[in-house]
Amino acid sequence: FSLVYHDINNNDPLVAKLMKKKFKVGEDAFSAPVVMATVNSGPGVVDAARRASTTNIASRTIQKKNAFYYIEVFSETINLNIIGVQIDVRATCP
């Protein structure tokens, strides 16, 4: 899981989380999602595109029939720019 970003702020991080929300018809619609992975922007100011990555993934099995996946991004300031996220999906995880 990778976050591609532009960071010109040395004080505040940009945080991205890969989330998994399980669901089952007839059960609680408000059950808590699971954080699968988290990445933070790196230290320092670099006026260029950067990448923060992790291979530490919780709940690695993709459940196509009873879960959906989404990204949460958090920033305390407006001078951190998310360019995008990348998710590497394989038949099996290393």
Side-chain angles (χ1 to χ4, degrees), residues 39-67:
V39 291
N40 297 313
S41 58
V45 174
V46 178
D47 193 13
R50 298 170 75 183
R51 179 189 317 269
S53 298
T54 186
T55 57
N56 185 13
I57 310 293
S59 301
R60 290 175 173 253
T61 302
I62 302 295
Q63 298 176 331
K64 295 188 282 187
K65 294 185 180 183
N66 62 351

PDB file of all heavy atoms in Angstrom, residues 39-67:
ATOM      1  N   VAL A  39       0.071   4.490   6.220  1.00  0.00           N
ATOM      2  CA  VAL A  39       1.328   5.100   5.787  1.00  0.00           C
ATOM      3  C   VAL A  39       1.299   6.582   6.144  1.00  0.00           C
ATOM      4  O   VAL A  39       0.242   7.216   6.133  1.00  0.00           O
ATOM      5  CB  VAL A  39       1.608   4.919   4.274  1.00  0.00           C
ATOM      6  CG1 VAL A  39       1.911   3.481   3.945  1.00  0.00           C
ATOM      7  CG2 VAL A  39       0.462   5.405   3.429  1.00  0.00           C
ATOM      8  N   ASN A  40       2.482   7.117   6.493  1.00  0.00           N
ATOM      9  CA  ASN A  40       2.637   8.522   6.848  1.00  0.00           C
ATOM     10  C   ASN A  40       3.647   9.172   5.915  1.00  0.00           C
ATOM     11  O   ASN A  40       4.623   8.528   5.512  1.00  0.00           O
ATOM     12  CB  ASN A  40       3.165   8.667   8.280  1.00  0.00           C
ATOM     13  CG  ASN A  40       2.216   8.108   9.297  1.00  0.00           C
ATOM     14  OD1 ASN A  40       1.026   8.379   9.259  1.00  0.00           O
ATOM     15  ND2 ASN A  40       2.733   7.318  10.208  1.00  0.00           N
ATOM     16  N   SER A  41       3.440  10.450   5.632  1.00  0.00           N
ATOM     17  CA  SER A  41       4.421  11.191   4.850  1.00  0.00           C
ATOM     18  C   SER A  41       5.750  11.221   5.605  1.00  0.00           C
ATOM     19  O   SER A  41       5.783  11.158   6.833  1.00  0.00           O
ATOM     20  CB  SER A  41       3.920  12.607   4.561  1.00  0.00           C
ATOM     21  OG  SER A  41       3.640  13.297   5.758  1.00  0.00           O
ATOM     22  N   GLY A  42       6.828  11.337   4.876  1.00  0.00           N
ATOM     23  CA  GLY A  42       8.163  11.315   5.460  1.00  0.00           C
ATOM     24  C   GLY A  42       8.565  12.654   6.050  1.00  0.00           C
ATOM     25  O   GLY A  42       7.925  13.681   5.815  1.00  0.00           O
ATOM     26  N   PRO A  43       9.651  12.663   6.819  1.00  0.00           N
ATOM     27  CA  PRO A  43      10.124  13.900   7.439  1.00  0.00           C
ATOM     28  C   PRO A  43      10.774  14.834   6.420  1.00  0.00           C
ATOM     29  O   PRO A  43      11.188  14.403   5.345  1.00  0.00           O
ATOM     30  CB  PRO A  43      11.151  13.408   8.460  1.00  0.00           C
ATOM     31  CG  PRO A  43      11.659  12.128   7.879  1.00  0.00           C
ATOM     32  CD  PRO A  43      10.490  11.516   7.167  1.00  0.00           C
ATOM     33  N   GLY A  44      10.859  16.088   6.789  1.00  0.00           N
ATOM     34  CA  GLY A  44      11.538  17.062   5.945  1.00  0.00           C
ATOM     35  C   GLY A  44      10.643  17.627   4.872  1.00  0.00           C
ATOM     36  O   GLY A  44       9.521  17.186   4.657  1.00  0.00           O
ATOM     37  N   VAL A  45      11.158  18.632   4.197  1.00  0.00           N
ATOM     38  CA  VAL A  45      10.443  19.293   3.113  1.00  0.00           C
ATOM     39  C   VAL A  45      11.155  18.980   1.809  1.00  0.00           C
ATOM     40  O   VAL A  45      12.341  19.251   1.660  1.00  0.00           O
ATOM     41  CB  VAL A  45      10.402  20.826   3.329  1.00  0.00           C
ATOM     42  CG1 VAL A  45       9.790  21.524   2.133  1.00  0.00           C
ATOM     43  CG2 VAL A  45       9.619  21.149   4.595  1.00  0.00           C
ATOM     44  N   VAL A  46      10.434  18.378   0.894  1.00  0.00           N
ATOM     45  CA  VAL A  46      10.962  18.077  -0.434  1.00  0.00           C
ATOM     46  C   VAL A  46       9.911  18.557  -1.432  1.00  0.00           C
ATOM     47  O   VAL A  46       8.794  18.054  -1.443  1.00  0.00           O
ATOM     48  CB  VAL A  46      11.219  16.564  -0.615  1.00  0.00           C
ATOM     49  CG1 VAL A  46      11.720  16.274  -2.023  1.00  0.00           C
ATOM     50  CG2 VAL A  46      12.195  16.049   0.431  1.00  0.00           C
ATOM     51  N   ASP A  47      10.267  19.521  -2.248  1.00  0.00           N
ATOM     52  CA  ASP A  47       9.314  20.094  -3.197  1.00  0.00           C
ATOM     53  C   ASP A  47       9.266  19.232  -4.457  1.00  0.00           C
ATOM     54  O   ASP A  47       9.640  19.665  -5.545  1.00  0.00           O
ATOM     55  CB  ASP A  47       9.690  21.543  -3.520  1.00  0.00           C
ATOM     56  CG  ASP A  47       8.578  22.270  -4.249  1.00  0.00           C
ATOM     57  OD1 ASP A  47       7.447  21.737  -4.290  1.00  0.00           O
ATOM     58  OD2 ASP A  47       8.828  23.357  -4.775  1.00  0.00           O
ATOM     59  N   ALA A  48       8.813  17.995  -4.261  1.00  0.00           N
ATOM     60  CA  ALA A  48       8.705  17.032  -5.368  1.00  0.00           C
ATOM     61  C   ALA A  48       7.732  15.938  -4.946  1.00  0.00           C
ATOM     62  O   ALA A  48       7.362  15.838  -3.780  1.00  0.00           O
ATOM     63  CB  ALA A  48      10.081  16.427  -5.676  1.00  0.00           C
ATOM     64  N   ALA A  49       7.334  15.115  -5.893  1.00  0.00           N
ATOM     65  CA  ALA A  49       6.479  13.971  -5.573  1.00  0.00           C
ATOM     66  C   ALA A  49       7.281  12.969  -4.755  1.00  0.00           C
ATOM     67  O   ALA A  49       8.458  12.731  -5.027  1.00  0.00           O
ATOM     68  CB  ALA A  49       5.963  13.319  -6.845  1.00  0.00           C
ATOM     69  N   ARG A  50       6.653  12.398  -3.730  1.00  0.00           N
ATOM     70  CA  ARG A  50       7.287  11.412  -2.862  1.00  0.00           C
ATOM     71  C   ARG A  50       6.348  10.222  -2.694  1.00  0.00           C
ATOM     72  O   ARG A  50       5.155  10.312  -2.988  1.00  0.00           O
ATOM     73  CB  ARG A  50       7.586  12.023  -1.492  1.00  0.00           C
ATOM     74  CG  ARG A  50       8.558  13.184  -1.584  1.00  0.00           C
ATOM     75  CD  ARG A  50       8.667  13.935  -0.293  1.00  0.00           C
ATOM     76  NE  ARG A  50       9.462  13.197   0.696  1.00  0.00           N
ATOM     77  CZ  ARG A  50       9.665  13.625   1.936  1.00  0.00           C
ATOM     78  NH1 ARG A  50       9.140  14.749   2.351  1.00  0.00           N
ATOM     79  NH2 ARG A  50      10.397  12.914   2.771  1.00  0.00           N
ATOM     80  N   ARG A  51       6.904   9.120  -2.170  1.00  0.00           N
ATOM     81  CA  ARG A  51       6.108   7.913  -1.949  1.00  0.00           C
ATOM     82  C   ARG A  51       6.370   7.395  -0.531  1.00  0.00           C
ATOM     83  O   ARG A  51       7.512   7.281  -0.112  1.00  0.00           O
ATOM     84  CB  ARG A  51       6.465   6.834  -2.958  1.00  0.00           C
ATOM     85  CG  ARG A  51       5.692   5.537  -2.771  1.00  0.00           C
ATOM     86  CD  ARG A  51       6.215   4.386  -3.648  1.00  0.00           C
ATOM     87  NE  ARG A  51       6.527   4.779  -4.986  1.00  0.00           N
ATOM     88  CZ  ARG A  51       5.691   4.742  -6.025  1.00  0.00           C
ATOM     89  NH1 ARG A  51       4.466   4.315  -5.845  1.00  0.00           N
ATOM     90  NH2 ARG A  51       6.076   5.122  -7.216  1.00  0.00           N
ATOM     91  N   ALA A  52       5.306   7.048   0.166  1.00  0.00           N
ATOM     92  CA  ALA A  52       5.392   6.357   1.454  1.00  0.00           C
ATOM     93  C   ALA A  52       4.705   5.009   1.268  1.00  0.00           C
ATOM     94  O   ALA A  52       3.578   4.963   0.759  1.00  0.00           O
ATOM     95  CB  ALA A  52       4.697   7.164   2.546  1.00  0.00           C
ATOM     96  N   SER A  53       5.378   3.917   1.642  1.00  0.00           N
ATOM     97  CA  SER A  53       4.844   2.579   1.383  1.00  0.00           C
ATOM     98  C   SER A  53       4.960   1.690   2.606  1.00  0.00           C
ATOM     99  O   SER A  53       5.806   1.898   3.468  1.00  0.00           O
ATOM    100  CB  SER A  53       5.614   1.914   0.239  1.00  0.00           C
ATOM    101  OG  SER A  53       5.465   2.633  -0.948  1.00  0.00           O
ATOM    102  N   THR A  54       4.099   0.674   2.638  1.00  0.00           N
ATOM    103  CA  THR A  54       4.181  -0.376   3.641  1.00  0.00           C
ATOM    104  C   THR A  54       3.767  -1.702   3.016  1.00  0.00           C
ATOM    105  O   THR A  54       2.942  -1.730   2.104  1.00  0.00           O
ATOM    106  CB  THR A  54       3.305  -0.081   4.876  1.00  0.00           C
ATOM    107  OG1 THR A  54       3.546  -1.088   5.870  1.00  0.00           O
ATOM    108  CG2 THR A  54       1.832  -0.054   4.547  1.00  0.00           C
ATOM    109  N   THR A  55       4.366  -2.762   3.517  1.00  0.00           N
ATOM    110  CA  THR A  55       3.925  -4.117   3.150  1.00  0.00           C
ATOM    111  C   THR A  55       3.290  -4.782   4.363  1.00  0.00           C
ATOM    112  O   THR A  55       2.920  -5.949   4.299  1.00  0.00           O
ATOM    113  CB  THR A  55       5.102  -4.974   2.641  1.00  0.00           C
ATOM    114  OG1 THR A  55       6.109  -5.025   3.649  1.00  0.00           O
ATOM    115  CG2 THR A  55       5.674  -4.414   1.350  1.00  0.00           C
ATOM    116  N   ASN A  56       3.159  -4.036   5.455  1.00  0.00           N
ATOM    117  CA  ASN A  56       2.538  -4.551   6.675  1.00  0.00           C
ATOM    118  C   ASN A  56       1.021  -4.398   6.539  1.00  0.00           C
ATOM    119  O   ASN A  56       0.471  -3.334   6.800  1.00  0.00           O
ATOM    120  CB  ASN A  56       3.067  -3.787   7.889  1.00  0.00           C
ATOM    121  CG  ASN A  56       2.562  -4.359   9.189  1.00  0.00           C
ATOM    122  OD1 ASN A  56       2.020  -5.461   9.221  1.00  0.00           O
ATOM    123  ND2 ASN A  56       2.725  -3.601  10.247  1.00  0.00           N
ATOM    124  N   ILE A  57       0.356  -5.466   6.117  1.00  0.00           N
ATOM    125  CA  ILE A  57      -1.073  -5.436   5.835  1.00  0.00           C
ATOM    126  C   ILE A  57      -1.803  -6.392   6.782  1.00  0.00           C
ATOM    127  O   ILE A  57      -1.477  -7.578   6.833  1.00  0.00           O
ATOM    128  CB  ILE A  57      -1.366  -5.857   4.374  1.00  0.00           C
ATOM    129  CG1 ILE A  57      -0.496  -5.075   3.379  1.00  0.00           C
ATOM    130  CG2 ILE A  57      -2.848  -5.731   4.044  1.00  0.00           C
ATOM    131  CD1 ILE A  57      -0.783  -3.618   3.289  1.00  0.00           C
ATOM    132  N   ALA A  58      -2.793  -5.896   7.492  1.00  0.00           N
ATOM    133  CA  ALA A  58      -3.644  -6.737   8.337  1.00  0.00           C
ATOM    134  C   ALA A  58      -4.828  -7.232   7.506  1.00  0.00           C
ATOM    135  O   ALA A  58      -5.225  -6.583   6.540  1.00  0.00           O
ATOM    136  CB  ALA A  58      -4.148  -5.930   9.530  1.00  0.00           C
ATOM    137  N   SER A  59      -5.392  -8.348   7.863  1.00  0.00           N
ATOM    138  CA  SER A  59      -6.567  -8.899   7.151  1.00  0.00           C
ATOM    139  C   SER A  59      -6.296  -8.965   5.657  1.00  0.00           C
ATOM    140  O   SER A  59      -7.019  -8.399   4.846  1.00  0.00           O
ATOM    141  CB  SER A  59      -7.819  -8.066   7.433  1.00  0.00           C
ATOM    142  OG  SER A  59      -8.103  -8.022   8.790  1.00  0.00           O
ATOM    143  N   ARG A  60      -5.251  -9.680   5.277  1.00  0.00           N
ATOM    144  CA  ARG A  60      -4.773  -9.696   3.889  1.00  0.00           C
ATOM    145  C   ARG A  60      -5.732 -10.308   2.876  1.00  0.00           C
ATOM    146  O   ARG A  60      -5.664 -10.005   1.697  1.00  0.00           O
ATOM    147  CB  ARG A  60      -3.451 -10.458   3.818  1.00  0.00           C
ATOM    148  CG  ARG A  60      -2.314  -9.741   4.470  1.00  0.00           C
ATOM    149  CD  ARG A  60      -1.078 -10.633   4.460  1.00  0.00           C
ATOM    150  NE  ARG A  60       0.069  -9.900   4.946  1.00  0.00           N
ATOM    151  CZ  ARG A  60       1.045  -9.481   4.176  1.00  0.00           C
ATOM    152  NH1 ARG A  60       1.032  -9.717   2.891  1.00  0.00           N
ATOM    153  NH2 ARG A  60       2.054  -8.821   4.689  1.00  0.00           N
ATOM    154  N   THR A  61      -6.620 -11.185   3.300  1.00  0.00           N
ATOM    155  CA  THR A  61      -7.518 -11.862   2.359  1.00  0.00           C
ATOM    156  C   THR A  61      -8.611 -10.906   1.897  1.00  0.00           C
ATOM    157  O   THR A  61      -9.328 -10.325   2.710  1.00  0.00           O
ATOM    158  CB  THR A  61      -8.147 -13.106   3.005  1.00  0.00           C
ATOM    159  OG1 THR A  61      -7.102 -13.977   3.432  1.00  0.00           O
ATOM    160  CG2 THR A  61      -9.035 -13.840   2.024  1.00  0.00           C
ATOM    161  N   ILE A  62      -8.738 -10.748   0.586  1.00  0.00           N
ATOM    162  CA  ILE A  62      -9.774  -9.899   0.004  1.00  0.00           C
ATOM    163  C   ILE A  62     -11.090 -10.670   0.012  1.00  0.00           C
ATOM    164  O   ILE A  62     -11.164 -11.787  -0.478  1.00  0.00           O
ATOM    165  CB  ILE A  62      -9.413  -9.486  -1.442  1.00  0.00           C
ATOM    166  CG1 ILE A  62      -8.076  -8.747  -1.479  1.00  0.00           C
ATOM    167  CG2 ILE A  62     -10.535  -8.674  -2.084  1.00  0.00           C
ATOM    168  CD1 ILE A  62      -8.065  -7.434  -0.756  1.00  0.00           C
ATOM    169  N   GLN A  63     -12.111 -10.076   0.585  1.00  0.00           N
ATOM    170  CA  GLN A  63     -13.432 -10.701   0.657  1.00  0.00           C
ATOM    171  C   GLN A  63     -14.364  -9.949  -0.283  1.00  0.00           C
ATOM    172  O   GLN A  63     -14.926  -8.917   0.088  1.00  0.00           O
ATOM    173  CB  GLN A  63     -13.953 -10.677   2.093  1.00  0.00           C
ATOM    174  CG  GLN A  63     -13.080 -11.468   3.034  1.00  0.00           C
ATOM    175  CD  GLN A  63     -13.551 -11.344   4.474  1.00  0.00           C
ATOM    176  OE1 GLN A  63     -14.120 -10.352   4.883  1.00  0.00           O
ATOM    177  NE2 GLN A  63     -13.282 -12.379   5.243  1.00  0.00           N
ATOM    178  N   LYS A  64     -14.526 -10.468  -1.482  1.00  0.00           N
ATOM    179  CA  LYS A  64     -15.297  -9.766  -2.500  1.00  0.00           C
ATOM    180  C   LYS A  64     -16.798  -9.777  -2.242  1.00  0.00           C
ATOM    181  O   LYS A  64     -17.499  -8.879  -2.690  1.00  0.00           O
ATOM    182  CB  LYS A  64     -15.024 -10.373  -3.873  1.00  0.00           C
ATOM    183  CG  LYS A  64     -13.594 -10.199  -4.336  1.00  0.00           C
ATOM    184  CD  LYS A  64     -13.398 -10.635  -5.755  1.00  0.00           C
ATOM    185  CE  LYS A  64     -13.316 -12.128  -5.851  1.00  0.00           C
ATOM    186  NZ  LYS A  64     -12.971 -12.621  -7.187  1.00  0.00           N
ATOM    187  N   LYS A  65     -17.301 -10.765  -1.511  1.00  0.00           N
ATOM    188  CA  LYS A  65     -18.747 -10.880  -1.350  1.00  0.00           C
ATOM    189  C   LYS A  65     -19.298 -10.215  -0.095  1.00  0.00           C
ATOM    190  O   LYS A  65     -20.479  -9.899  -0.048  1.00  0.00           O
ATOM    191  CB  LYS A  65     -19.156 -12.348  -1.368  1.00  0.00           C
ATOM    192  CG  LYS A  65     -18.914 -12.994  -2.712  1.00  0.00           C
ATOM    193  CD  LYS A  65     -19.428 -14.398  -2.746  1.00  0.00           C
ATOM    194  CE  LYS A  65     -19.168 -14.996  -4.126  1.00  0.00           C
ATOM    195  NZ  LYS A  65     -19.696 -16.338  -4.242  1.00  0.00           N
ATOM    196  N   ASN A  66     -18.467 -10.019   0.937  1.00  0.00           N
ATOM    197  CA  ASN A  66     -19.031  -9.463   2.166  1.00  0.00           C
ATOM    198  C   ASN A  66     -18.148  -8.393   2.807  1.00  0.00           C
ATOM    199  O   ASN A  66     -18.148  -8.230   4.022  1.00  0.00           O
ATOM    200  CB  ASN A  66     -19.343 -10.566   3.174  1.00  0.00           C
ATOM    201  CG  ASN A  66     -18.104 -11.320   3.601  1.00  0.00           C
ATOM    202  OD1 ASN A  66     -17.039 -11.145   3.039  1.00  0.00           O
ATOM    203  ND2 ASN A  66     -18.247 -12.169   4.601  1.00  0.00           N
ATOM    204  N   ALA A  67     -17.426  -7.649   1.985  1.00  0.00           N
ATOM    205  CA  ALA A  67     -16.634  -6.527   2.495  1.00  0.00           C
ATOM    206  C   ALA A  67     -16.386  -5.538   1.361  1.00  0.00           C
ATOM    207  O   ALA A  67     -16.435  -5.906   0.186  1.00  0.00           O
ATOM    208  CB  ALA A  67     -15.302  -7.013   3.060  1.00  0.00           C
TER     209      ALA A  67
END
